[in-house]
Amino acid sequence: MSTATLQNPRLIVVQGSYRQMGEDLGRATADLIARSLDTYVGRFRDDAGLSDADIDRWGRIYLDTAASYSPEIAAMLDGMATGSRQPAHRLAALNARTEMLYGTGYRDEGCTSLSVLPRYTGDGHTLLAQNWDWHPEQAEVTFLLATRDETGFSVLSLAEAGMLAKSGLNSAGLGVCANLLVSDRDRGGAGVPYHYLLRGALQARTMSGAHKKLLPVERISSGNVLLADGTGGEAIDFELAPDVFGTLLPENGLIAHANHFETPLPLHDKKAATSALTLLRSVRARHLLEPALNERRVGVADVVATLRDEWSFPDGICRHPDPDVPEGERNATVYSVVMDLTDRVLWIAPGPPSQHGYARWELDTLFDDPTPKPLEFLPEDTPTPATATTTPIFQSEELPA
């Protein structure tokens, strides 16, 4: 197990059996896991009205769910509990925070995701990217997690302490990005938590295998999952809700998604009216990339420039903390991630990405040499898209570096 730091987030590398990887991960992040548990258990009590007995009961239910859904996830949770000296069922509850907080209104997480097919990129590679918008203080307990099992299968994913995945890619060339969705179908109860679904998809060796981890399962919350494949050069977007799902396919080589449902599902969208600029963020991304898409020359620099777009400040694709919102309720881009799924390369910048360079990690080499590479795509080196509008930045609101 090793760690490496260049700028937020640090990289944590674990190898071996899934239980051993979980144990090493728990040991390396024990202090961060304790902080995450303090934060979310406090919200379970204060916002959801759950007693300690309630939290433990539901945590055990979700721990049992992990065992039936994915033995790898269950083994990692068990190992992480040992390494961090925390109860495994409390870690399961942490991974089910969305479901545990059902109905409390604590679901302001937002994101803008996109994927570009290889026929529309300058080098013929499949690209996948996302800005993850959440509470800025979560940057301090979030890291890149690299796992390699005993068969050599590896995953590189963004993760909050105590949790196993967000956006990321694997050694089979599959990549995953996640967006919050909220519907009137969402409910509490037993089922597969959203963050289990994300790790389950990243554990898949094929696109078909990822579909099987997302679709024919009992879901209890809504969420969007954008999948892309660097081997076959395909992408698909799933709008997931309990008992139903919708699909979006690329148009002119691009899929882009924000935080509202775009498919005609039998549900009421409970986030479209309130999620900051969600109705235009995906459209804006398409408009910014359209010239390069039409010329079939999209590159990583074009995607980075799109993720740095500050139109409609502070609520654009590159989201900044709103000074008019109470500090504890502010959201902003916490991390910006770009992936070349063909070469298994991930770039990541702390938010707002307009103010930071991107660190580069190569999945195929980082286990042997987890040395940070020099920063790329520094703000002054990346041109602003021709149609974008640059807005002054509130330096006082800069996120932790």
Side-chain angles (χ1 to χ4, degrees), residues 124-177:
H125 291 192
T126 304
L127 301 179
L128 181 65
Q130 175 173 25
N131 276 356
W132 174 44
D133 302 340
W134 193 219
H135 299 304
E137 60 269 20
Q138 282 303 109
E140 299 175 5
V141 294
T142 302
F143 49 86
L144 276 174
L145 171 61
T147 64
R148 183 164 67 181
D149 69 16
E150 294 165 310
T151 71
F153 179 77
S154 56
V155 174
L156 177 61
S157 174
L158 197 62
E160 292 178 80
M163 303 170 73
L164 296 177
K166 285 192 180 296
S167 300
L169 75 162
N170 67 27
S171 54
L174 287 176
V176 175
C177 285

Side-chain angles (χ1 to χ4, degrees), residues 11 35 92 113 162 181 189 266 307 311 348 397:
L11 171 73
R35 288 172 59 184
S113 300
L181 295 174
L307 296 177
W311 173 73
I348 187 164
E397 297 296 339

Side-chain angles (χ1 to χ4, degrees), residues 30-54:
D31 57 332
L32 300 182
I33 290 173
R35 288 172 59 184
S36 280
L37 282 170
D38 284 345
T39 296
Y40 285 115
V41 169
R43 292 192 180 276
F44 296 160
R45 294 169 180 152
D46 298 340
D47 297 344
L50 298 175
S51 66
D52 283 347
D54 292 329

Side-chain angles (χ1 to χ4, degrees), residues 29-92:
T29 61
D31 57 332
L32 300 182
I33 290 173
R35 288 172 59 184
S36 280
L37 282 170
D38 284 345
T39 296
Y40 285 115
V41 169
R43 292 192 180 276
F44 296 160
R45 294 169 180 152
D46 298 340
D47 297 344
L50 298 175
S51 66
D52 283 347
D54 292 329
I55 296 169
D56 289 339
R57 178 170 63 89
W58 282 109
R60 290 187 176 95
I61 289 173
Y62 293 127
L63 188 60
D64 288 343
T65 299
S68 59
Y69 173 70
S70 168
E72 294 89 351
I73 290 177
M76 287 191 73
L77 287 174
D78 186 55
M80 188 160 45
T82 299
S84 65
R85 299 185 179 182
Q86 298 287 351
H89 61 271
R90 282 291 173 101
L91 297 181

Side-chain angles (χ1 to χ4, degrees), residues 15-361:
Q15 304 182 64
S17 70
Y18 283 91
R19 195 190 187 286
Q20 184 61 56
M21 288 192 290
E23 189 170 338
D24 290 343
L25 173 61
R27 190 177 299 111
T29 61
D31 57 332
L32 300 182
I33 290 173
R35 288 172 59 184
S36 280
L37 282 170
D38 284 345
T39 296
Y40 285 115
V41 169
R43 292 192 180 276
F44 296 160
R45 294 169 180 152
D46 298 340
D47 297 344
L50 298 175
S51 66
D52 283 347
D54 292 329
I55 296 169
D56 289 339
R57 178 170 63 89
W58 282 109
R60 290 187 176 95
I61 289 173
Y62 293 127
L63 188 60
D64 288 343
T65 299
S68 59
Y69 173 70
S70 168
E72 294 89 351
I73 290 177
M76 287 191 73
L77 287 174
D78 186 55
M80 188 160 45
T82 299
S84 65
R85 299 185 179 182
Q86 298 287 351
H89 61 271
R90 282 291 173 101
L91 297 181
L94 186 60
N95 278 267
R97 64 167 170 81
T98 300
E99 292 73 22
M100 296 282 286
L101 289 166
Y102 164 72
T104 65
Y106 186 71
R107 300 186 62 177
D108 295 327
E109 185 174 9
C111 300
T112 306
S113 300
L114 64 90
S115 181
V116 184
L117 296 184
R119 296 189 302 280
Y120 292 81
T121 61
D123 58 6
H125 291 192
T126 304
L127 301 179
L128 181 65
Q130 175 173 25
N131 276 356
W132 174 44
D133 302 340
W134 193 219
H135 299 304
E137 60 269 20
Q138 282 303 109
E140 299 175 5
V141 294
T142 302
F143 49 86
L144 276 174
L145 171 61
T147 64
R148 183 164 67 181
D149 69 16
E150 294 165 310
T151 71
F153 179 77
S154 56
V155 174
L156 177 61
S157 174
L158 197 62
E160 292 178 80
M163 303 170 73
L164 296 177
K166 285 192 180 296
S167 300
L169 75 162
N170 67 27
S171 54
L174 287 176
V176 175
C177 285
N179 303 72
L180 172 72
L181 295 174
V182 184
S183 79
D184 61 350
R185 285 179 170 266
D186 299 354
R187 58 180 184 265
V192 182
Y194 181 58
H195 284 83
Y196 284 6
L197 297 178
L198 298 176
R199 184 72 197 193
L202 282 169
Q203 288 293 139
R205 271 66 165 178
T206 64
M207 177 67 84
S208 175
H211 292 191
K212 293 174 183 177
K213 301 304 292 186
L214 295 172
L215 303 182
V217 300
E218 184 177 0
R219 296 179 298 274
I220 48 177
S221 62
S222 297
N224 192 74
V225 179
L226 176 54
L227 291 170
D229 179 9
T231 302
E234 300 291 350
I236 189 169
D237 185 272
F238 289 125
E239 296 182 342
L240 304 175
D243 304 319
V244 296
F245 65 90
T247 61
L248 295 171
L249 296 172
E251 295 182 13
N252 194 29
L254 175 72
I255 298 178
H257 207 282
N259 302 111
H260 62 283
F261 288 90
E262 297 188 27
T263 57
L265 292 174
L267 52 75
H268 171 63
D269 191 325
K270 299 181 68 174
K271 203 64 182 172
T274 59
S275 181
L277 203 69
T278 184
L279 298 174
L280 278 177
R281 274 186 274 124
S282 60
V283 175
R284 176 70 172 175
R286 179 172 292 279
H287 290 166
L288 294 173
L289 287 169
E290 207 159 35
L293 286 167
N294 289 340
E295 296 180 12
R296 301 189 178 225
R297 57 168 178 79
V298 178
V300 173
D302 300 297
V303 174
V304 167
T306 299
L307 296 177
R308 285 174 166 164
D309 181 54
E310 295 173 325
W311 173 73
S312 198
F313 184 92
D315 292 327
I317 294 174
C318 178
R319 188 172 179 183
H320 292 255
D322 188 341
D324 294 330
V325 173
E327 185 172 357
E329 300 175 16
R330 292 176 187 172
N331 289 291
T333 299
V334 180
Y335 285 108
S336 180
V337 178
V338 182
M339 293 172 270
D340 179 331
L341 299 181
T342 305
D343 280 350
R344 282 66 159 170
V345 174
L346 181 148
W347 292 265
I348 187 164
S354 59
Q355 298 179 344
H356 298 90
Y358 284 71
R360 183 179 192 269
W361 296 102

